[in-house]
Amino acid sequence: MSLIFSLTAGLLGILCKQWLRNYQRDVTLSTVMEDFALRQFRYEGFAQWKVTGILGTLPMLLEIGLVLFFIGLIDFLLGLNMEAAVPVIIFIGTSITLLAGTTIAPAVQYLVY
């Protein structure tokens, strides 16, 4: 599952980069009105496909993939050797705490101010 989330995030990132490149590409047509119509057409397609929303989900997909990988790693190491698992669990716990803190901190800041 971790690999699926990570590869999906990578795929969506590549697709969004292609959409952005096409959106920003300058094509000079014969009149200013045609240029404006093409730009508006691209903008409406960009909004209709909700590209900004897709870009917003990419970090979340990577975070979910990372957490699932950590869970699988802990499960694997606990079955293998407890002495090897303890330092890894401490490192993963620190990483997850940092991830949770940086995710929750903006919300808390918004509520306070």
Side-chain angles (χ1 to χ4, degrees):
M1 289 300 294
S2 172
L3 182 61
I4 291 171
F5 279 111
S6 299
L7 291 177
T8 301
L11 174 67
L12 290 175
I14 290 169
L15 288 175
C16 287
K17 184 177 179 182
Q18 290 174 345
W19 291 335
L20 288 170
R21 189 176 337 130
N22 285 332
Y23 178 74
Q24 294 175 340
R25 186 176 62 200
D26 288 333
V27 177
T28 306
L29 299 174
S30 58
T31 66
V32 174
M33 287 301 289
E34 288 177 347
D35 287 345
F36 177 74
L38 179 62
R39 176 82 172 174
Q40 185 64 26
F41 176 75
R42 288 178 178 169
Y43 173 75
E44 289 172 1
F46 197 75
Q48 184 178 4
W49 280 91
K50 297 177 178 42
V51 174
T52 54
I54 292 171
L55 286 172
T57 63
L58 296 182
M60 182 181 63
L61 285 174
L62 288 173
E63 290 171 0
I64 291 171
L66 181 67
V67 168
L68 289 174
F69 174 76
F70 282 163
I71 291 170
L73 182 62
I74 290 171
D75 184 43
F76 174 74
L77 288 175
L78 285 175
L80 200 63
N81 184 355
M82 182 62 92
E83 292 174 359
V86 171
V88 174
I89 291 172
I90 292 170
F91 178 76
I92 289 174
T94 305
S95 299
I96 296 295
T97 303
L98 180 65
L99 174 66
T102 56
T103 302
I104 295 171
V108 171
Q109 181 182 3
Y110 177 75
L111 292 174
V112 171
Y113 296 107

